[in-house]
Amino acid sequence: IDQSFVRGLPHDQNDLAIASAIIAMGKAMKLRTIAEGVETKAQLDVLQSLGCDEMQGYYKARPMPASDFGDYLQERKVV
């Protein structure tokens, strides 16, 4: 889901309708949905409630050098 539709969540009803439709279409096609540009907890909560499978953006982590990525994963016990 493009960031341009995520940006207005949770308040913009058009963005909410588009995100919901994209997620529903993905599920109907047995595809996973990924939202880009998630920057707030409110956006994350709405997308999770709609059934979005994955999210990326500043809310999870800022861009970082590849050399720091291993430490990032270990701190979050992902590896």
Side-chain angles (χ1 to χ4, degrees), residues 4-53:
S4 62
F5 304 122
V6 171
R7 191 175 296 121
L9 297 177
H11 306 294
D12 186 305
Q13 293 303 306
N14 290 328
D15 287 344
L16 183 60
I18 290 169
S20 179
I22 292 170
I23 293 165
M25 185 170 43
K27 290 194 179 312
M29 298 173 69
K30 296 182 176 30
L31 298 172
R32 295 179 59 77
T33 52
I34 302 172
E36 67 178 20
V38 178
E39 297 182 355
T40 69
K41 174 89 164 87
Q43 292 168 336
L44 178 75
D45 290 345
V46 167
L47 290 162
Q48 285 179 326
S49 74
L50 293 173
C52 187
D53 298 300

Side-chain angles (χ1 to χ4, degrees), residues 64-79:
M64 68 187 75
S67 59
D68 294 345
F69 190 61
D71 292 338
Y72 169 82
L73 292 176
Q74 284 190 333
E75 288 171 8
R76 282 149 187 80
K77 303 206 186 317
V78 175
V79 291

